[in-house]
Amino acid sequence: MGSDLLLAATTPPATAGGGTDFFSILLWPFKWIVETILVAWHWLFTAVGLGPASGLTWVLSIVGLVIVIRAAVFPLFVKQIKSQRKMMEIAPQLKKVQEKYKGKRDQLSREAMSRETMALYKKHGTTPVSSCLPMLVQMPFLLGMFYTLRDVATHAQAGVGGVGLLSPELTKLFYNATLFGVAPLHIDLRTALETKPSGWEATATILIVLVVLMIGSQFYTQLQIISKNLSPEAKTGQAYQMQKIMLYILPLGFIFSGVFFPLGVVLYWFVSNLWTMAQQFLVIREMPTPGSDAARHREERLAAKGKAINSEGKVVPMAVYEAEQQRLLDEAERAKAEAPKREQPMSKKRAKKKGSN
């Protein structure tokens, strides 16, 4: 996601007439949706008494935009968590498949390896792509937000509006809106340092702090996944090692690309990360990966309340859980007793002697 935003940030600005560059045209529907949600929240906050030109009104509108988009992709988030969990769980099996065909570069071996890998994905109901779905869905909206804010300055100076409900009047209000009365929402750190507008020192400080918080919150969210919500087996796979490496590499890209983000986009991303952190906390607490530290802590919390998790994954009273465990033990012992006993092989001499008796 950071590389896409960086690419968008370094493309030439759109024209005042609505944008002529490729990304701006491609993202037109998402810009329209972003503007519609922003304007709707702006109308709501002004209706309850906030000033239409107030920076607080527009900041709250950006927060509202986060709420709407993240709530819409929440089902995908749950699917992402489950998919990531399954990918980590099958990592040891994927490693065995890779080792099985290690060094074999012929076409038949590559096809066989691909079939076995896809069979594993199908069996466990996951794919590498499905774990990225929420990010892929949010990316066009984040880019749409970027372009909307990037075009605000050009459109406001030309006296035109956006592609949808962001009228020329609202565009002008948005352009003049500031955070804490000093930092314009449409300005980025590079522009603030190069042009040095009035109050640029405070603006640059606010942007730097928010970029650091944005990166830190994203780092912490990913750290919780690999430190608390993975089983010991999953931590031995290649997928875990790659995720651990990316945990430390991605922040470097965000530091660079964050220089090009308008303040409004940084706010959007930071608030979105806070939402993710809250979701992640609830998922790790209530839906931990079996065998992980988070699962052990959950079992301890339930035991303290006199409850446990049964074989179907449901929380039940401890008495019910113990009765189920005893029943399963009895069934296993009964099945073992009823199983035909395996006779030891005997020599021909012994078999002949036994037959003569």
Side-chain angles (χ1 to χ4, degrees), residues 292-332:
S292 65
D293 291 340
R296 178 171 55 82
H297 293 155
R298 187 189 182 210
E299 291 171 358
E300 291 173 354
R301 291 195 304 272
L302 290 173
K305 298 178 182 179
K307 298 180 179 180
I309 303 173
N310 66 5
S311 58
E312 297 179 356
K314 298 179 180 179
V315 178
V316 296
M318 186 62 72
V320 175
Y321 170 77
E322 292 175 348
E324 180 192 54
Q325 293 300 305
Q326 185 61 47
R327 176 177 58 80
L328 293 175
L329 179 62
D330 293 342
E331 290 178 356

Side-chain angles (χ1 to χ4, degrees), residues 38 41-42 45 50 55-65 67:
L38 274 175
W41 281 106
H42 183 268
F45 290 124
L50 294 181
L56 177 62
T57 304
W58 287 105
V59 168
L60 291 177
S61 298
I62 292 173
V63 174
L65 175 65
I67 293 173

Side-chain angles (χ1 to χ4, degrees), residues 60-324:
L60 291 177
S61 298
I62 292 173
V63 174
L65 175 65
V66 173
I67 293 173
V68 171
I69 292 178
R70 295 307 302 270
V73 301
F74 180 77
L76 290 178
F77 171 80
V78 175
K79 186 175 182 179
Q80 177 193 28
I81 293 298
K82 293 180 178 179
S83 180
Q84 287 179 339
R85 179 185 301 173
K86 290 178 180 178
M87 285 296 296
M88 291 298 178
E89 289 174 351
I90 68 173
Q93 300 177 54
L94 289 173
K95 186 177 180 180
K96 289 181 180 179
V97 173
Q98 293 169 356
E99 291 177 348
K100 179 180 178 181
Y101 295 96
K102 185 177 181 180
K104 299 180 180 179
R105 302 183 180 278
D106 60 282
Q107 184 67 23
L108 291 177
S109 296
R110 289 200 298 267
E111 290 178 357
M113 179 178 173
S114 178
R115 284 196 302 271
E116 291 187 28
T117 301
M118 295 306 297
L120 270 176
Y121 290 150
K122 184 177 181 180
K123 178 181 178 181
H124 294 273
T126 185
T127 63
V129 176
S130 59
S131 63
C132 302
L133 275 176
M135 183 179 292
L136 294 175
V137 171
Q138 289 182 80
M139 192 183 300
F141 292 99
L142 190 59
L143 287 168
M145 182 71 178
F146 174 87
Y147 270 89
T148 297
L149 292 179
R150 193 195 70 172
D151 294 343
V152 161
T154 306
H155 291 173
Q157 293 168 4
V160 299
V163 300
L165 299 183
L166 198 61
S167 65
E169 294 77 15
L170 289 174
T171 300
K172 193 69 175 179
L173 292 177
F174 202 164
Y175 176 75
N176 293 326
T178 58
L179 179 62
F180 303 131
V182 63
L185 296 180
H186 67 271
I187 199 169
D188 57 66
L189 183 58
R190 180 186 59 175
T191 303
L193 295 175
E194 289 179 353
T195 62
K196 296 184 179 180
S198 176
W200 70 271
E201 298 94 338
T203 300
T205 301
I206 292 171
L207 277 163
I208 291 172
V209 170
L210 283 175
V211 168
V212 170
L213 290 175
M214 178 190 76
I215 295 171
S217 58
Q218 187 147 349
F219 177 85
Y220 178 79
T221 300
Q222 294 302 314
L223 181 63
Q224 294 305 295
I225 297 176
I226 67 174
S227 64
K228 293 183 178 180
N229 204 35
L230 293 181
S231 63
E233 295 78 12
K235 292 183 179 181
T236 62
Q238 186 177 5
Y240 170 75
Q241 298 300 328
M242 287 298 298
Q243 191 168 358
K244 193 174 181 180
I245 292 173
M246 294 302 294
L247 175 68
Y248 296 97
I249 292 179
L250 283 179
L252 299 177
F254 293 139
I255 290 173
F256 179 67
S257 56
V259 175
F260 299 92
F261 294 167
L263 177 55
V265 173
V266 177
L267 281 169
Y268 174 94
W269 202 337
F270 175 55
V271 175
S272 183
N273 284 350
L274 293 180
W275 179 289
T276 302
M277 287 174 62
Q279 283 187 155
Q280 198 72 58
F281 174 80
L282 293 175
V283 168
I284 292 176
R285 181 180 174 84
E286 303 300 331
M287 298 171 55
T289 301
S292 65
D293 291 340
R296 178 171 55 82
H297 293 155
R298 187 189 182 210
E299 291 171 358
E300 291 173 354
R301 291 195 304 272
L302 290 173
K305 298 178 182 179
K307 298 180 179 180
I309 303 173
N310 66 5
S311 58
E312 297 179 356
K314 298 179 180 179
V315 178
V316 296
M318 186 62 72
V320 175
Y321 170 77
E322 292 175 348
E324 180 192 54

